[in-house]
Amino acid sequence: MSAKVKLMKSLGIKNRDLFLLNLIFLTDVAILLNIPFVRPILGFLFLSVLPGLLILQILNLNKIGSTEKFVLSVGLSISFLMFFGLLLNNLSLALGYESPLSTIFLLISFNIAAISLILTAYWTNKNRTFFLPDFNLNASEKALLIVPILFPALSIFGAYFMNTTNNNIVSFFLLIIIPIYVIFICIFHQKLSARIYPLIIFLISISLILMMAMRSNHVLGSDAHDEYYLFQATLHNMYWSISGFSILDACLSISLLPTVYQLFLSLDPEIFFNIFYVCLFSLVPLVVFVISKKYVGDFYGFLASIFFIVQTRFIFATGGARTNIAIFFVSLTMMILFSDKIDPANKNILFIVFMTSCMVSHYTTTYIFFFVLLGTFVGMEILSKKYTFKKVTSLTIVTLFFIMIFFWYSQVTEVAFNTGVIFVKDVLVSLQDFFVMESRDTDMQVMFGEGIQQKGIPHKIQFILAWLTFIFIGIGVTTLIVRYKVMSFPELNFKKSNFLREKFEVEYFVISLACAGLLVAMIAFPHTSIGYSMQRLFVVANTILSVFFVIGSIMVAKYSNRFFKILRGITSIRRRSSRAKQVSRAEMNEKQPSPVGAVPQVRIYIIILLVLIPYFFCVTGAIYNMFGVPRAITLNSEGEQYDIYYVYDQDSYGAKWLANTEGRIYAADFFGGQRLISQGIISPSTVDTDRFIKYGTIDDYIYLRHENVVKGKLRDGNNEMHNMTDYHDTLTEKNEIYDSGCSKIYR
């Protein structure tokens, strides 16, 4: 190596390290001086990108693409924050320091950790070339990004417009222009550079997911209220511990992690909580793209990621913080598992890191992930009796995963493991109710068409389109099984299918079957859909199965073209027969075109768009609004979603008023109890959501929210409606001690 090249490498690494040290210094100044706008930006970059990027450099993962580097950097950073934060927390408490989660202590500790990572990266890379991603776009690429670069701004402004004026015109415009842009990309995809697909995917996903996150200044969702309470309790205590808050103690993702971010960023905690988790979740479509493009190419990988985005659980992801992060880690695990550019040693390290990160993020998703790995291992062992192939999932990995689950959920946090055991027992017991539809959750009942005849046209359209997506995935998976020699098993040396860029590994083949099998099990075992909703399982499975929606569409297009060819041939023969009596055979041959050449070809992306675009309008609620049905909270200030999830300022004021009171608090309904927990930061153990609605004796505070006061309605835990007039006697026995106009408190 020449002296000039060595000098360039040394200067490049030194400049990089100097830049990172300056970033750390500027972040410290912004935090200590509490500089508005600068503090959250630098703090977010410092926490979300820097640790992971340095770890990638230490592992010398320079061969992976820019998109992989980006998502891995974020994933490793989040993992580092949770594990390093947990180490700091426990060591500090053991040494008698009771405020490890304080701003100054964390700032000093993370500075030391960051500088240590920089030094380690320098010594491990001083003889290696440091590659930066190529961000230089040509003129045509920049022109194509002019429209999608506006999507996030339209999303945020549309939500603001809805919050202030109840006008959905901006949000509706965004929901119209996104499908139009996707159609444009499909038509001209052969002229586009593959480099812009990740940018387009990210801009679309972050725009759609922010529509819900920015809809309110308060916590949105169902599980989000309990999650936010745990975050606030950890922030207030300035340390993490097993608080006895049931199974959520096992989730560092909603306690320790947001506390670290909040201390660095110092944002409005509710707005931060709404936005942070969905921003991380918006990276999952990028991972789906990376996984899918390897097998079906960049364009179809793009469509696979769009399919992942066009799901209810993705667009309305605000309410599941711990689930969002866990799914993110599952997708990263799948990505590195099937990467050809990561060596086996680093692959094992990353696999274990993300597997463990999923475990401390969400218990149920971890159980699902474990069963996928277990099923994959068993399937691989069965196939290895007949075929010889490379195996990645080993008994060691599966056993290690189980030991970690047992240790964390049973020995450390205790409750989650017992809950998992009880869940398995309940699933087995529920088999006796196999044919009882009520034994399944609401989503599953809707999937089977329960009550669909009594619902309107939009519900029926969404029902049909949802089943079409299932059918297309089923066709794709079935095609993989039937044609496994040409679509998978590279070791068999059969010529691959012409629509594949690369064959599926045997492990991908088995994992796909395991994911599809879990979806079938969700349908077969009644209780499973209650413990873990079908929508959430579908999102987990789609990190692997999205590519099969595209393959299913390819097969539908292929057989459609065959059908049209046969139909055209039959029509042509009939025309020849009718004209044979009037013209000679020679004239016939001269004037009649070849029937094969005249056959119209159904393009694959047309089949995909015919399903995805109408389904997109259904999932986002746009088609419901077209029929005059106020469904989606993002487009309406009325309707069921709005009444359930939207938290009024008056609701929040009433809950905060009760925060310093003593005694038990009785919410009129289940959703009022959620507001008490998140807005008043009132312990769930002191909130009762059942006694009032069951006409029980109440000797303390009663809390009424907006829907109870203004609309005179209340909902139980099953979302069944009741009239407040039926509880008039209960309220007349109490004194009204608080009234904000929309929220009331009695005692």
Side-chain angles (χ1 to χ4, degrees):
M1 184 182 295
S2 67
K4 183 178 179 180
V5 173
K6 287 183 178 179
L7 179 62
M8 289 176 64
K9 289 183 178 180
S10 178
L11 287 175
I13 294 172
K14 288 181 179 178
N15 287 336
R16 177 204 68 185
D17 292 344
L18 183 61
F19 170 78
L20 295 178
L21 290 172
N22 286 331
L23 175 63
I24 294 172
F25 174 74
L26 291 174
T27 303
D28 292 347
V29 172
I31 292 173
L32 293 174
L33 298 181
N34 194 23
I35 303 175
F37 189 70
V38 177
R39 176 177 180 173
I41 292 177
L42 291 181
F44 187 79
L45 290 175
F46 178 82
L47 294 177
S48 303
V49 179
L50 180 60
L53 186 62
L54 291 170
I55 292 171
L56 286 180
Q57 290 301 308
I58 293 170
L59 296 176
N60 192 29
L61 294 178
N62 275 324
K63 295 181 180 180
I64 59 176
S66 300
T67 306
E68 292 95 314
K69 278 185 181 179
F70 174 59
V71 294
L72 283 175
S73 295
V74 176
L76 286 170
S77 295
I78 300 300
S79 298
F80 178 80
L81 294 183
M82 288 195 291
F83 296 130
F84 184 67
L86 181 64
L87 178 65
L88 282 178
N89 180 86
N90 291 352
L91 280 178
S92 300
L93 293 177
L95 295 173
Y97 182 61
E98 298 182 353
S99 303
L101 299 183
S102 60
T103 304
I104 300 300
F105 181 77
L106 281 179
L107 190 61
I108 295 172
S109 301
F110 276 95
N111 277 345
I112 295 172
I115 293 171
S116 300
L117 288 173
I118 290 173
L119 293 174
T120 306
Y122 174 78
W123 287 109
T124 56
N125 287 274
K126 61 181 179 180
N127 294 321
R128 297 169 182 160
T129 305
F130 176 69
F131 295 102
L132 286 174
D134 181 12
F135 294 109
N136 294 321
L137 301 175
N138 58 41
S140 61
E141 291 171 339
K142 292 177 181 177
L144 283 168
L145 291 174
I146 291 175
V147 174
I149 206 74
L150 297 174
F151 291 166
L154 287 172
S155 176
I156 295 171
F157 183 65
Y160 173 78
F161 213 47
M162 275 297 301
N163 294 339
T164 55
T165 68
N166 288 334
N167 192 320
N168 63 14
I169 187 170
V170 178
S171 297
F172 214 95
F173 175 72
L174 177 64
L175 296 181
I176 295 294
I177 197 172
I178 286 178
I180 292 175
Y181 186 77
V182 171
I183 293 172
F184 173 82
I185 293 295
C186 290
I187 293 173
F188 297 101
H189 73 274
Q190 293 179 337
K191 300 179 181 179
L192 303 181
S193 169
R195 291 197 307 165
I196 67 171
Y197 284 130
L199 289 171
I200 295 172
I201 291 167
F202 177 71
L203 290 170
I204 291 175
S205 64
I206 194 69
S207 303
L208 290 173
I209 214 165
L210 282 176
M211 286 182 66
M212 179 74 168
M214 299 294 291
R215 183 63 176 89
S216 172
N217 293 326
H218 300 292
V219 174
L220 282 170
S222 182
D223 295 343
H225 297 273
D226 289 334
E227 295 170 337
Y228 182 76
Y229 169 82
L230 192 59
F231 158 46
Q232 286 296 294
T234 307
L235 184 65
H236 174 75
N237 294 334
M238 301 179 73
Y239 65 87
W240 175 86
S241 66
I242 306 299
S243 63
F245 189 60
S246 69
I247 52 181
L248 295 188
D249 283 328
C251 305
L252 298 181
S253 57
I254 54 173
S255 54
L256 192 149
L257 178 65
T259 298
V260 172
Y261 267 97
Q262 179 61 20
L263 291 172
F264 272 69
L265 274 56
S266 188
L267 296 171
D268 180 288
E270 286 193 89
I271 294 177
F272 161 73
F273 197 81
N274 278 344
I275 295 176
F276 171 66
Y277 293 97
V278 297
C279 286
L280 284 180
F281 197 49
S282 68
L283 300 180
V284 179
L286 286 176
V287 182
V288 173
F289 171 72
V290 171
I291 295 173
S292 302
K293 73 173 184 176
K294 175 182 176 182
Y295 307 105
V296 294
D298 295 281
F299 172 60
Y300 290 119
F302 166 75
L303 290 177
S305 67
I306 295 298
F307 170 73
F308 184 89
I309 292 171
V310 183
Q311 303 298 328
T312 303
R313 183 60 184 77
F314 180 83
I315 294 176
F316 297 99
T318 309
R322 63 191 190 277
T323 309
N324 294 344
I325 287 194
I327 294 174
F328 177 49
F329 285 126
V330 170
S331 67
L332 288 176
T333 308
M334 294 295 104
M335 186 185 78
I336 61 102
L337 184 65
F338 300 109
S339 174
D340 297 329
K341 299 177 181 178
I342 303 177
D343 61 86
N346 285 331
K347 187 174 288 190
N348 287 332
I349 292 172
L350 293 174
F351 193 93
I352 292 171
V353 168
F354 292 138
M355 188 170 64
T356 311
S357 300
C358 177
M359 180 189 71
V360 298
S361 296
H362 187 213
Y363 40 89
T364 315
T365 303
T366 300
Y367 289 138
I368 294 294
F369 187 26
F370 172 75
F371 283 118
V372 168
L373 290 181
L374 179 62
T376 301
F377 169 73
V378 173
M380 295 289 284
E381 288 299 308
I382 294 172
L383 289 174
S384 66
K385 305 298 181 183
K386 184 176 180 180
Y387 304 103
T388 302
F389 48 79
K390 181 181 178 182
K391 291 190 287 186
V392 180
T393 305
S394 63
L395 179 61
T396 303
I397 289 291
V398 175
T399 304
L400 177 63
F401 197 14
F402 178 79
I403 292 172
M404 290 191 302
I405 289 173
F406 178 79
F407 176 76
W408 181 252
Y409 291 159
S410 176
Q411 303 304 306
V412 179
T413 56
E414 297 184 11
V415 180
F417 190 83
N418 296 333
T419 303
V421 173
I422 294 172
F423 174 74
V424 172
K425 184 193 74 172
D426 291 342
V427 168
L428 296 176
V429 172
S430 70
L431 286 176
Q432 62 184 339
D433 300 323
F434 182 83
F435 296 103
V436 180
M437 186 58 64
E438 289 74 14
S439 63
R440 294 168 170 83
D441 78 336
T442 306
D443 290 337
M444 188 66 71
Q445 293 179 34
V446 171
M447 177 183 167
F448 281 104
E450 185 73 15
I452 195 67
Q453 294 299 327
Q454 290 75 38
K455 294 184 177 180
I457 294 176
H459 292 87
K460 294 174 182 176
I461 294 174
Q462 183 168 354
F463 174 75
I464 294 170
L465 291 170
W467 271 103
L468 276 177
T469 63
F470 298 148
I471 291 170
F472 276 33
I473 291 175
I475 292 172
V477 174
T478 303
T479 303
L480 177 68
I481 296 171
V482 174
R483 301 184 177 186
Y484 71 95
K485 291 183 179 180
V486 296
M487 291 184 65
S488 186
F489 291 77
E491 293 82 1
L492 296 182
N493 295 321
F494 282 86
K495 185 179 180 181
K496 66 178 177 63
S497 296
N498 56 7
F499 57 81
L500 291 181
R501 171 185 285 183
E502 189 174 316
K503 277 189 173 186
F504 293 98
E505 296 87 351
V506 179
E507 199 130 14
Y508 201 110
F509 172 83
V510 179
I511 285 181
S512 302
L513 297 185
C515 290
L518 278 175
L519 292 175
V520 173
M522 178 72 79
I523 297 172
F525 296 96
H527 187 74
T528 52
S529 61
I530 297 176
Y532 195 76
S533 73
M534 183 66 174
Q535 287 185 4
R536 286 196 288 186
L537 178 60
F538 195 52
V539 172
V540 175
N542 272 348
T543 57
I544 289 293
L545 297 181
S546 290
V547 67
F548 293 103
F549 172 80
V550 172
I551 292 175
S553 303
I554 291 172
M555 301 311 297
V556 170
K558 177 181 177 181
Y559 287 107
S560 297
N561 285 326
R562 285 187 182 181
F563 172 75
F564 287 132
K565 182 177 179 180
I566 293 171
L567 186 63
R568 182 74 177 184
I570 293 172
T571 304
S572 180
I573 291 171
R574 289 178 176 175
R575 287 177 179 174
R576 285 202 206 105
S577 299
S578 63
R579 293 183 182 182
K581 300 176 182 179
Q582 303 174 15
V583 297
S584 66
R585 190 177 187 86
E587 293 173 336
M588 182 73 172
N589 289 336
E590 284 181 5
K591 297 180 180 180
Q592 191 68 17
S594 168
V596 176
V599 176
Q601 293 294 308
V602 177
R603 297 189 180 275
I604 297 166
Y605 69 77
I606 293 178
I607 297 292
I608 295 174
L609 294 178
L610 283 175
V611 176
L612 282 190
I613 291 179
Y615 191 53
F616 170 80
F617 286 132
C618 289
V619 168
T620 56
I623 198 168
Y624 289 86
N625 275 57
M626 294 176 188
F627 280 86
V629 179
R631 180 177 175 85
I633 187 176
T634 51
L635 298 175
N636 302 278
S637 294
E638 57 178 324
E640 183 177 300
Q641 276 189 15
Y642 185 81
D643 291 336
I644 291 175
Y645 297 126
Y646 192 84
V647 178
Y648 286 84
D649 289 338
Q650 291 86 346
D651 291 341
S652 180
Y653 299 151
K656 286 180 171 65
W657 190 88
L658 284 167
N660 297 319
T661 58
E662 295 182 359
R664 198 157 183 78
I665 303 173
Y666 298 88
D669 61 9
F670 174 78
F671 301 99
Q674 289 184 329
R675 286 149 176 78
L676 288 170
I677 292 169
S678 67
Q679 302 305 304
I681 316 299
I682 299 170
S683 173
S685 61
T686 64
V687 175
D688 189 303
T689 59
D690 291 327
R691 183 169 294 187
F692 181 86
I693 206 166
K694 293 179 179 178
Y695 302 96
T697 302
I698 297 175
D699 53 6
D700 226 315
Y701 297 97
I702 300 175
Y703 171 79
L704 305 183
R705 64 187 180 94
H706 180 274
E707 190 177 21
N708 310 144
V709 175
V710 177
K711 296 188 176 182
K713 302 289 183 181
L714 67 160
R715 303 169 187 264
D716 59 23
N718 296 320
N719 200 25
E720 294 182 2
M721 297 290 292
H722 302 264
N723 292 318
M724 283 297 299
T725 53
D726 297 336
Y727 300 87
H728 178 72
D729 293 341
T730 303
L731 294 177
T732 53
E733 296 174 357
K734 304 293 181 181
N735 296 317
E736 183 182 308
I737 59 175
Y738 178 91
D739 184 359
S740 67
C742 295
S743 176
K744 292 184 179 182
I745 298 172
Y746 291 82
R747 188 177 186 185

